[in-house]
Amino acid sequence: MTDPLGLSGRRVATAADRVNTLYRRIKSSRPVSWVLFTGSRPAVTAVLLAGVFAFLVVLALLRPVDIQQLLTDTNTLQTLFTTLLSGAILIVSIVSSISSIVLSQEITDIETEQSRIDASIEFRRRAESLAEVEGSPSQPAAFLEVILYSIYREARALQRTADHCDDEECREQIDALTDEIVDEARNAAETLDGARFGTFNVLSAGLHYDYSWQLNTARRIRNRYEDELDDRTTDALQELIDTLKFFATGREYFQSLYYKREVARLSSNLLYVSLPVVVFISYLLLALNTGIIPIFRVGPLTSLPLFIMFAYTVSIAPYVVLTAYVVRVAAITLKTLAAGPFLVRQPKHDDIVELQVEIEPDSWDEQVDDERDEDTDAGSGRDTDAGLDRDTDAGLDRDTDAGPDRDTDDTGGRPEPDDDGVEPASADDDGRHAADGGAENRSET
């Protein structure tokens, strides 16, 4: 049966929209945000382990007979915990190797270390000149707050100078850009106020600040209205662009520092957890082999299933620690709105200045053909102009060469008279005299 009205497609689209809406609500909920971003990683690890143990207990309460039969097979349990023991040792060695690679970048000679210090001091000096302060803060949160205040001030200055712009469209676009910059700079500064580096608040302020969109929009306005902008507006726009680039550099640097700290914390916490887990699993394997685990009843369950479920929860602790840290790093990477001068996610707002270089892929061949025709017409025009130039040059050359001869002929082509005032006979006169003499001789004969 056909669907001429397309109702099935509408129902599918509506269901997909509902699923996407529900997914966005779940992602933005407070518990999910705590697990992914704001929560302390040891606390998140403890909550996840408690959830695993609670899930196993609920499963055992729903089917107590099956769980009892499953957990009485000691050979299967020994194989399971032996695999977990090997995995715990392997994951510790892998993470330790990664940490060694990260820390090896910090082991450098004195010249490299001195160049790093000089670069950091120069970076702070530029921040002080932009903010017009005597010294920049040493804390990353306060440092970024100073740069945000500089961006706020530059945006206000640009807004004041743009009021004198004659182009109404240019003035409206600058006003829209500066309003967006002022609002986002204030919100980011409020997030950074009193924050401590290492917490998600410092990183969140940089992740949610859309400096790349602001930077690209400011550059588009400058390039498009370069002729309409006066010197003051152009200078204010350039200063805003420089400050945004400076903020981008600082944010990327502090984000790299945050990732290094996360890797260091992951390595240390994983080592702290893995050693007790390895000892506990080793003891559990020996206890299962000798059968010394006491068995007594705890409600509807016996002590053996509870002990095995608790042992399993403890055995996966290294994996849960790794999951807690990797999940946050991955979520931060996916939540990053801008990376350098590019947008890696769809922005929340539309572009103020639309690009005029976008060409649909279907019209690429037509565009290339038009460009080829224009090149052909331009080449024909150049050939015609070149032919005219060559003809003109040839005519001028001929006139120039013939000019002296005509000047000589205009003077009669006769030589200058001698000192007695008698002009010597020319070659033409000699020919005429010879002809006359020959005629006279013929007449006499």
Side-chain angles (χ1 to χ4, degrees):
M1 182 176 179
T2 61
D3 185 13
L5 298 179
L7 297 180
S8 60
R10 294 180 183 178
R11 286 194 294 269
V12 172
T14 303
D17 293 339
R18 291 177 180 176
V19 172
N20 293 331
T21 302
L22 180 61
Y23 176 70
R24 286 193 296 267
R25 289 180 179 178
I26 293 174
K27 285 180 61 179
S28 60
S29 62
R30 188 179 296 273
V32 175
S33 178
W34 182 82
V35 172
L36 293 179
F37 301 108
T38 60
S40 173
R41 294 303 95 183
V44 172
T45 302
V47 169
L48 293 178
L49 289 175
V52 171
F53 182 74
F55 174 76
L56 294 176
V57 170
V58 171
L59 188 62
L61 292 175
L62 293 177
R63 302 294 297 271
V65 178
D66 296 340
I67 293 296
Q68 184 71 27
Q69 295 177 355
L70 180 64
L71 298 181
T72 53
D73 188 359
T74 57
N75 293 327
T76 303
L77 294 177
Q78 288 179 354
T79 304
L80 174 63
F81 284 103
T82 301
T83 304
L84 291 175
L85 177 62
S86 302
I89 297 175
L90 179 62
I91 196 172
V92 170
S93 61
I94 292 175
V95 174
S96 299
S97 301
I98 296 174
S99 302
S100 301
I101 295 174
V102 174
L103 293 177
S104 64
Q105 299 178 359
E106 304 297 328
I107 304 175
T108 57
D109 54 6
I110 189 171
E111 294 182 357
T112 304
E113 200 66 33
Q114 184 178 3
S115 63
R116 288 183 180 180
I117 295 175
D118 293 338
S120 62
I121 292 176
E122 180 63 26
F123 186 77
R124 293 169 63 89
R125 185 181 296 112
R126 289 181 56 194
E128 294 165 0
S129 62
L130 288 174
E132 297 180 358
V133 294
E134 296 180 355
S136 58
S138 58
Q139 296 295 327
F143 184 84
L144 289 178
E145 192 174 355
V146 169
I147 301 178
L148 287 172
Y149 175 71
S150 301
I151 294 175
Y152 173 85
R153 190 176 57 186
E154 297 294 342
R156 287 297 190 188
L158 176 61
Q159 197 172 31
R160 289 192 300 269
T161 57
D163 294 337
H164 304 287
C165 184
D166 297 333
D167 194 324
E168 183 178 359
E169 183 181 2
C170 175
R171 185 168 59 251
E172 292 177 355
Q173 293 179 358
I174 292 178
D175 290 338
L177 173 63
T178 52
D179 290 340
E180 187 73 23
I181 292 176
V182 166
D183 293 338
E184 290 197 8
R186 185 184 288 111
N187 294 333
E190 291 175 356
T191 304
L192 289 172
D193 190 16
R196 181 174 56 86
F197 184 71
T199 60
F200 181 71
N201 289 335
V202 177
L203 194 62
S204 175
L207 292 179
H208 291 89
Y209 188 79
D210 194 0
Y211 70 87
S212 180
W213 178 85
Q214 298 173 5
L215 181 61
N216 290 327
T217 304
R219 292 181 64 251
R220 292 179 189 177
I221 293 176
R222 183 193 61 184
N223 296 335
R224 178 170 298 181
Y225 302 102
E226 184 177 1
D227 298 333
E228 288 81 2
L229 298 176
D230 55 6
D231 294 338
R232 290 183 56 192
T233 306
T234 303
D235 294 340
L237 192 59
Q238 185 61 43
E239 290 177 0
L240 177 62
I241 292 174
D242 294 339
T243 309
L244 288 173
K245 291 191 295 184
F246 192 79
F247 176 83
T249 304
R251 199 214 71 166
E252 296 296 332
Y253 175 70
F254 292 137
Q255 186 175 357
S256 64
L257 287 182
Y258 178 82
Y259 286 150
K260 287 183 179 180
R261 289 172 62 91
E262 286 291 286
V263 171
R265 289 174 178 174
L266 171 62
S267 303
S268 60
N269 291 334
L270 196 58
L271 291 175
Y272 295 153
V273 172
S274 297
L275 180 60
V277 167
V278 170
V279 175
F280 180 77
I281 295 177
S282 301
Y283 170 77
L284 177 63
L285 291 174
L286 295 176
L288 290 175
N289 191 25
T290 57
I292 61 174
I293 300 176
I295 299 176
F296 54 90
R297 197 154 193 88
V298 181
L301 301 175
T302 60
S303 60
L304 181 60
L306 291 176
F307 181 76
I308 296 300
M309 288 185 290
F310 175 76
Y312 179 80
T313 304
V314 173
S315 301
I316 63 174
Y319 303 95
V320 177
V321 172
L322 179 63
T323 300
Y325 279 92
V326 172
V327 161
R328 180 155 76 173
V329 172
I332 289 174
T333 304
L334 294 176
K335 201 175 182 63
T336 301
L337 182 64
F342 300 100
L343 294 174
V344 295
R345 288 197 302 117
Q346 183 67 26
K348 297 178 292 184
H349 36 61
D350 298 330
D351 287 336
I352 295 176
V353 184
E354 296 290 342
L355 285 177
Q356 297 180 350
V357 297
E358 298 179 357
I359 302 174
E360 294 297 332
D362 296 337
S363 62
W364 284 359
D365 294 335
E366 298 177 0
Q367 184 73 15
V368 173
D369 293 338
D370 293 340
E371 293 177 355
R372 184 170 59 248
D373 294 339
E374 292 178 358
D375 294 339
T376 303
D377 295 339
S380 301
R382 285 194 298 269
D383 294 339
T384 303
D385 295 338
L388 293 176
D389 293 339
R390 285 195 298 270
D391 294 339
T392 303
D393 294 339
L396 292 175
D397 293 337
R398 287 194 299 269
D399 294 339
T400 303
D401 295 337
D405 295 337
R406 285 196 302 268
D407 294 341
T408 306
D409 293 339
D410 291 340
T411 58
R414 294 184 297 273
E416 294 293 331
D418 56 7
D419 294 339
D420 297 334
V422 179
E423 295 180 359
S426 62
D428 295 337
D429 294 338
D430 294 338
R432 285 194 297 269
H433 290 311
D436 295 340
E440 293 175 355
N441 293 331
R442 284 194 300 270
S443 60
E444 291 177 356
T445 307

